[in-house]
Amino acid sequence: MLQHPENNTIFTPEQVLENRGRVAIFIDGSNLFYAALQLGIEIDYTKLLCRLTAGSRLLRSFFYTGVDRTNEKQQGFLLWMRRNGYRVISKDLVQLPDGSKKANLDVEIAVDMMALVGSYDTAVLVSGDGDLAYAVDAVSYRGVRVEVVSLRSMTSDSLINVADRYIDLESIKEDIQKTPRHPNYTYRPLSGIGIADEHEERA
């Protein structure tokens, strides 16, 4: 609780959060994807954007992800994201010696957070990656308020320690998940349906 020095009014946490100013959202796509797997949910990206913005003025919402150019379903998903409020920043996946594929976008996230300082008041970082703690600390010293949103089991303590607010994805999963389909429902594609209407957004 915060107290007003003149009239001893107690401010609730909700009232304090009302003054978030302009919000910029930075989403580590890979981190969010694995968090959703852990939670056993599928993310509804329209709901996610609404929940993270929470009525504040949105400057821009960035979605960072590695891409496989041969994956048509992923290309369709990213096109849907671009048309529905997200600025997609992508990097080709690199095959590692163990056969797995990965693309690290920490540098891109950190650079964008720093480059836009002055254009936004609150940064919402959807990632648990401790490598981003230095960037979060740097922008906070330049007057930015930072909220970190991620799954607790996948979040570095160093990132939580430098954030102004931490939100566990588990606590908001009801607000951001797709409504489960009826078990007897079968998907029948309709001719002429647009990708935004299909809403088939699995990465």
Side-chain angles (χ1 to χ4, degrees), residues 146-173:
V146 184
E147 299 174 5
V148 169
V149 182
S150 56
L151 191 60
R152 184 62 188 93
S153 60
M154 294 173 57
T155 307
S156 166
D157 286 341
S158 61
L159 192 57
I160 294 174
N161 292 343
V162 293
D164 295 289
R165 185 187 185 206
Y166 171 71
I167 301 167
D168 190 343
L169 271 174
E170 176 113 42
S171 69
I172 62 167
K173 71 177 185 178

mmCIF file of all heavy atoms in Angstrom, residues 146-173:
data_model
loop_
_atom_site.group_PDB
_atom_site.id
_atom_site.type_symbol
_atom_site.label_atom_id
_atom_site.label_comp_id
_atom_site.label_asym_id
_atom_site.label_seq_id
_atom_site.Cartn_x
_atom_site.Cartn_y
_atom_site.Cartn_z
ATOM 1 N N VAL A 146 8.787 -1.536 -15.386
ATOM 2 C CA VAL A 146 8.843 -2.826 -16.082
ATOM 3 C C VAL A 146 8.019 -3.885 -15.357
ATOM 4 O O VAL A 146 8.203 -4.125 -14.167
ATOM 5 C CB VAL A 146 10.298 -3.325 -16.249
ATOM 6 C CG1 VAL A 146 10.319 -4.622 -17.055
ATOM 7 C CG2 VAL A 146 11.159 -2.265 -16.927
ATOM 8 N N GLU A 147 7.102 -4.500 -16.115
ATOM 9 C CA GLU A 147 6.316 -5.622 -15.609
ATOM 10 C C GLU A 147 6.798 -6.884 -16.339
ATOM 11 O O GLU A 147 6.868 -6.905 -17.567
ATOM 12 C CB GLU A 147 4.831 -5.405 -15.893
ATOM 13 C CG GLU A 147 4.257 -4.150 -15.240
ATOM 14 C CD GLU A 147 2.811 -3.882 -15.645
ATOM 15 O OE1 GLU A 147 2.228 -4.730 -16.359
ATOM 16 O OE2 GLU A 147 2.278 -2.819 -15.274
ATOM 17 N N VAL A 148 7.137 -7.903 -15.590
ATOM 18 C CA VAL A 148 7.566 -9.182 -16.176
ATOM 19 C C VAL A 148 6.436 -10.186 -16.021
ATOM 20 O O VAL A 148 5.870 -10.348 -14.940
ATOM 21 C CB VAL A 148 8.860 -9.700 -15.500
ATOM 22 C CG1 VAL A 148 9.146 -11.144 -15.905
ATOM 23 C CG2 VAL A 148 10.043 -8.813 -15.870
ATOM 24 N N VAL A 149 6.087 -10.828 -17.132
ATOM 25 C CA VAL A 149 5.006 -11.811 -17.140
ATOM 26 C C VAL A 149 5.572 -13.128 -17.656
ATOM 27 O O VAL A 149 6.058 -13.197 -18.786
ATOM 28 C CB VAL A 149 3.838 -11.370 -18.061
ATOM 29 C CG1 VAL A 149 2.700 -12.382 -18.010
ATOM 30 C CG2 VAL A 149 3.346 -9.979 -17.680
ATOM 31 N N SER A 150 5.547 -14.154 -16.823
ATOM 32 C CA SER A 150 6.076 -15.459 -17.249
ATOM 33 C C SER A 150 5.689 -16.532 -16.235
ATOM 34 O O SER A 150 5.159 -16.223 -15.171
ATOM 35 C CB SER A 150 7.601 -15.408 -17.401
ATOM 36 O OG SER A 150 8.191 -14.979 -16.187
ATOM 37 N N LEU A 151 5.974 -17.766 -16.587
ATOM 38 C CA LEU A 151 5.677 -18.883 -15.690
ATOM 39 C C LEU A 151 6.774 -18.951 -14.635
ATOM 40 O O LEU A 151 7.964 -18.955 -14.967
ATOM 41 C CB LEU A 151 5.599 -20.184 -16.497
ATOM 42 C CG LEU A 151 5.047 -21.416 -15.780
ATOM 43 C CD1 LEU A 151 3.620 -21.179 -15.287
ATOM 44 C CD2 LEU A 151 5.085 -22.623 -16.710
ATOM 45 N N ARG A 152 6.383 -19.009 -13.369
ATOM 46 C CA ARG A 152 7.371 -18.918 -12.274
ATOM 47 C C ARG A 152 8.470 -19.961 -12.386
ATOM 48 O O ARG A 152 9.653 -19.660 -12.166
ATOM 49 C CB ARG A 152 6.660 -19.040 -10.913
ATOM 50 C CG ARG A 152 7.613 -18.860 -9.721
ATOM 51 C CD ARG A 152 8.228 -17.469 -9.738
ATOM 52 N NE ARG A 152 9.273 -17.281 -8.739
ATOM 53 C CZ ARG A 152 10.555 -17.468 -8.952
ATOM 54 N NH1 ARG A 152 10.984 -17.906 -10.133
ATOM 55 N NH2 ARG A 152 11.453 -17.228 -8.016
ATOM 56 N N SER A 153 8.111 -21.190 -12.753
ATOM 57 C CA SER A 153 9.110 -22.262 -12.829
ATOM 58 C C SER A 153 10.114 -22.041 -13.961
ATOM 59 O O SER A 153 11.165 -22.666 -14.005
ATOM 60 C CB SER A 153 8.421 -23.620 -13.017
ATOM 61 O OG SER A 153 7.667 -23.632 -14.220
ATOM 62 N N MET A 154 9.784 -21.128 -14.884
ATOM 63 C CA MET A 154 10.669 -20.852 -16.019
ATOM 64 C C MET A 154 11.251 -19.448 -15.947
ATOM 65 O O MET A 154 11.738 -18.918 -16.946
ATOM 66 C CB MET A 154 9.883 -20.994 -17.343
ATOM 67 C CG MET A 154 9.425 -22.397 -17.645
ATOM 68 S SD MET A 154 8.333 -22.451 -19.103
ATOM 69 C CE MET A 154 9.369 -21.717 -20.365
ATOM 70 N N THR A 155 11.199 -18.837 -14.768
ATOM 71 C CA THR A 155 11.622 -17.439 -14.644
ATOM 72 C C THR A 155 12.831 -17.297 -13.737
ATOM 73 O O THR A 155 12.848 -17.806 -12.616
ATOM 74 C CB THR A 155 10.470 -16.574 -14.086
ATOM 75 O OG1 THR A 155 9.305 -16.782 -14.886
ATOM 76 C CG2 THR A 155 10.828 -15.097 -14.133
ATOM 77 N N SER A 156 13.834 -16.583 -14.237
ATOM 78 C CA SER A 156 15.048 -16.332 -13.470
ATOM 79 C C SER A 156 14.772 -15.348 -12.339
ATOM 80 O O SER A 156 14.095 -14.336 -12.528
ATOM 81 C CB SER A 156 16.111 -15.759 -14.411
ATOM 82 O OG SER A 156 17.174 -15.199 -13.675
ATOM 83 N N ASP A 157 15.316 -15.650 -11.166
ATOM 84 C CA ASP A 157 15.168 -14.750 -10.024
ATOM 85 C C ASP A 157 15.771 -13.383 -10.332
ATOM 86 O O ASP A 157 15.261 -12.351 -9.882
ATOM 87 C CB ASP A 157 15.862 -15.328 -8.776
ATOM 88 C CG ASP A 157 15.072 -16.479 -8.169
ATOM 89 O OD1 ASP A 157 13.872 -16.592 -8.475
ATOM 90 O OD2 ASP A 157 15.660 -17.262 -7.408
ATOM 91 N N SER A 158 16.848 -13.371 -11.103
ATOM 92 C CA SER A 158 17.512 -12.098 -11.411
ATOM 93 C C SER A 158 16.586 -11.169 -12.197
ATOM 94 O O SER A 158 16.646 -9.941 -12.050
ATOM 95 C CB SER A 158 18.799 -12.346 -12.213
ATOM 96 O OG SER A 158 18.512 -12.983 -13.449
ATOM 97 N N LEU A 159 15.699 -11.745 -13.015
ATOM 98 C CA LEU A 159 14.753 -10.943 -13.791
ATOM 99 C C LEU A 159 13.648 -10.397 -12.885
ATOM 100 O O LEU A 159 13.265 -9.225 -12.983
ATOM 101 C CB LEU A 159 14.150 -11.793 -14.915
ATOM 102 C CG LEU A 159 13.351 -11.074 -15.998
ATOM 103 C CD1 LEU A 159 14.190 -9.997 -16.665
ATOM 104 C CD2 LEU A 159 12.859 -12.069 -17.042
ATOM 105 N N ILE A 160 13.145 -11.237 -11.990
ATOM 106 C CA ILE A 160 12.106 -10.799 -11.050
ATOM 107 C C ILE A 160 12.638 -9.688 -10.141
ATOM 108 O O ILE A 160 11.935 -8.715 -9.845
ATOM 109 C CB ILE A 160 11.596 -11.988 -10.205
ATOM 110 C CG1 ILE A 160 10.866 -13.000 -11.101
ATOM 111 C CG2 ILE A 160 10.670 -11.515 -9.087
ATOM 112 C CD1 ILE A 160 10.449 -14.268 -10.390
ATOM 113 N N ASN A 161 13.892 -9.806 -9.737
ATOM 114 C CA ASN A 161 14.484 -8.842 -8.803
ATOM 115 C C ASN A 161 14.605 -7.436 -9.374
ATOM 116 O O ASN A 161 14.584 -6.455 -8.626
ATOM 117 C CB ASN A 161 15.861 -9.329 -8.343
ATOM 118 C CG ASN A 161 15.774 -10.574 -7.465
ATOM 119 O OD1 ASN A 161 14.714 -10.898 -6.950
ATOM 120 N ND2 ASN A 161 16.889 -11.275 -7.318
ATOM 121 N N VAL A 162 14.751 -7.318 -10.701
ATOM 122 C CA VAL A 162 14.904 -5.980 -11.295
ATOM 123 C C VAL A 162 13.593 -5.435 -11.855
ATOM 124 O O VAL A 162 13.524 -4.286 -12.283
ATOM 125 C CB VAL A 162 15.987 -5.971 -12.411
ATOM 126 C CG1 VAL A 162 17.364 -6.208 -11.816
ATOM 127 C CG2 VAL A 162 15.680 -6.978 -13.507
ATOM 128 N N ALA A 163 12.535 -6.260 -11.845
ATOM 129 C CA ALA A 163 11.233 -5.812 -12.360
ATOM 130 C C ALA A 163 10.482 -5.038 -11.282
ATOM 131 O O ALA A 163 10.676 -5.252 -10.085
ATOM 132 C CB ALA A 163 10.406 -7.011 -12.800
ATOM 133 N N ASP A 164 9.612 -4.121 -11.721
ATOM 134 C CA ASP A 164 8.767 -3.392 -10.778
ATOM 135 C C ASP A 164 7.569 -4.226 -10.357
ATOM 136 O O ASP A 164 7.002 -4.024 -9.285
ATOM 137 C CB ASP A 164 8.268 -2.087 -11.417
ATOM 138 C CG ASP A 164 9.419 -1.140 -11.701
ATOM 139 O OD1 ASP A 164 9.983 -0.598 -10.741
ATOM 140 O OD2 ASP A 164 9.769 -0.968 -12.886
ATOM 141 N N ARG A 165 7.186 -5.146 -11.235
ATOM 142 C CA ARG A 165 6.041 -6.009 -10.944
ATOM 143 C C ARG A 165 6.234 -7.337 -11.657
ATOM 144 O O ARG A 165 6.705 -7.375 -12.794
ATOM 145 C CB ARG A 165 4.755 -5.339 -11.435
ATOM 146 C CG ARG A 165 3.477 -6.097 -11.073
ATOM 147 C CD ARG A 165 2.282 -5.451 -11.738
ATOM 148 N NE ARG A 165 1.026 -6.077 -11.333
ATOM 149 C CZ ARG A 165 -0.070 -6.089 -12.069
ATOM 150 N NH1 ARG A 165 -0.081 -5.500 -13.250
ATOM 151 N NH2 ARG A 165 -1.178 -6.661 -11.639
ATOM 152 N N TYR A 166 5.899 -8.424 -10.980
ATOM 153 C CA TYR A 166 5.982 -9.751 -11.602
ATOM 154 C C TYR A 166 4.600 -10.394 -11.593
ATOM 155 O O TYR A 166 3.903 -10.386 -10.570
ATOM 156 C CB TYR A 166 6.985 -10.652 -10.874
ATOM 157 C CG TYR A 166 6.904 -12.077 -11.364
ATOM 158 C CD1 TYR A 166 7.366 -12.413 -12.635
ATOM 159 C CD2 TYR A 166 6.304 -13.077 -10.591
ATOM 160 C CE1 TYR A 166 7.243 -13.706 -13.123
ATOM 161 C CE2 TYR A 166 6.179 -14.365 -11.066
ATOM 162 C CZ TYR A 166 6.644 -14.674 -12.332
ATOM 163 O OH TYR A 166 6.507 -15.946 -12.819
ATOM 164 N N ILE A 167 4.205 -10.941 -12.748
ATOM 165 C CA ILE A 167 2.913 -11.638 -12.860
ATOM 166 C C ILE A 167 3.177 -13.058 -13.331
ATOM 167 O O ILE A 167 3.787 -13.273 -14.395
ATOM 168 C CB ILE A 167 1.979 -10.927 -13.869
ATOM 169 C CG1 ILE A 167 1.717 -9.479 -13.446
ATOM 170 C CG2 ILE A 167 0.654 -11.681 -14.007
ATOM 171 C CD1 ILE A 167 1.079 -8.630 -14.526
ATOM 172 N N ASP A 168 2.739 -14.026 -12.552
ATOM 173 C CA ASP A 168 2.881 -15.437 -12.926
ATOM 174 C C ASP A 168 1.806 -15.781 -13.962
ATOM 175 O O ASP A 168 0.619 -15.513 -13.738
ATOM 176 C CB ASP A 168 2.713 -16.315 -11.679
ATOM 177 C CG ASP A 168 3.073 -17.769 -11.913
ATOM 178 O OD1 ASP A 168 3.143 -18.191 -13.089
ATOM 179 O OD2 ASP A 168 3.269 -18.488 -10.916
ATOM 180 N N LEU A 169 2.221 -16.335 -15.082
ATOM 181 C CA LEU A 169 1.262 -16.706 -16.132
ATOM 182 C C LEU A 169 0.165 -17.624 -15.607
ATOM 183 O O LEU A 169 -0.966 -17.577 -16.073
ATOM 184 C CB LEU A 169 1.991 -17.405 -17.292
ATOM 185 C CG LEU A 169 2.537 -16.525 -18.410
ATOM 186 C CD1 LEU A 169 3.356 -17.362 -19.375
ATOM 187 C CD2 LEU A 169 1.417 -15.804 -19.151
ATOM 188 N N GLU A 170 0.522 -18.444 -14.618
ATOM 189 C CA GLU A 170 -0.460 -19.362 -14.037
ATOM 190 C C GLU A 170 -1.667 -18.598 -13.482
ATOM 191 O O GLU A 170 -2.802 -19.056 -13.557
ATOM 192 C CB GLU A 170 0.205 -20.171 -12.916
ATOM 193 C CG GLU A 170 -0.735 -21.082 -12.168
ATOM 194 C CD GLU A 170 -0.435 -22.559 -12.408
ATOM 195 O OE1 GLU A 170 0.730 -22.953 -12.418
ATOM 196 O OE2 GLU A 170 -1.420 -23.311 -12.582
ATOM 197 N N SER A 171 -1.412 -17.398 -12.942
ATOM 198 C CA SER A 171 -2.485 -16.626 -12.299
ATOM 199 C C SER A 171 -3.420 -15.957 -13.305
ATOM 200 O O SER A 171 -4.512 -15.529 -12.944
ATOM 201 C CB SER A 171 -1.885 -15.566 -11.371
ATOM 202 O OG SER A 171 -1.233 -14.553 -12.134
ATOM 203 N N ILE A 172 -2.997 -15.856 -14.568
ATOM 204 C CA ILE A 172 -3.861 -15.206 -15.570
ATOM 205 C C ILE A 172 -4.231 -16.155 -16.706
ATOM 206 O O ILE A 172 -4.779 -15.728 -17.721
ATOM 207 C CB ILE A 172 -3.189 -13.929 -16.150
ATOM 208 C CG1 ILE A 172 -1.889 -14.260 -16.883
ATOM 209 C CG2 ILE A 172 -2.958 -12.900 -15.066
ATOM 210 C CD1 ILE A 172 -1.352 -13.120 -17.735
ATOM 211 N N LYS A 173 -3.950 -17.451 -16.540
ATOM 212 C CA LYS A 173 -4.162 -18.379 -17.657
ATOM 213 C C LYS A 173 -5.629 -18.453 -18.097
ATOM 214 O O LYS A 173 -5.915 -18.621 -19.279
ATOM 215 C CB LYS A 173 -3.622 -19.779 -17.330
ATOM 216 C CG LYS A 173 -4.393 -20.572 -16.293
ATOM 217 C CD LYS A 173 -3.775 -21.959 -16.151
ATOM 218 C CE LYS A 173 -4.598 -22.821 -15.205
ATOM 219 N NZ LYS A 173 -4.028 -24.190 -15.085
#
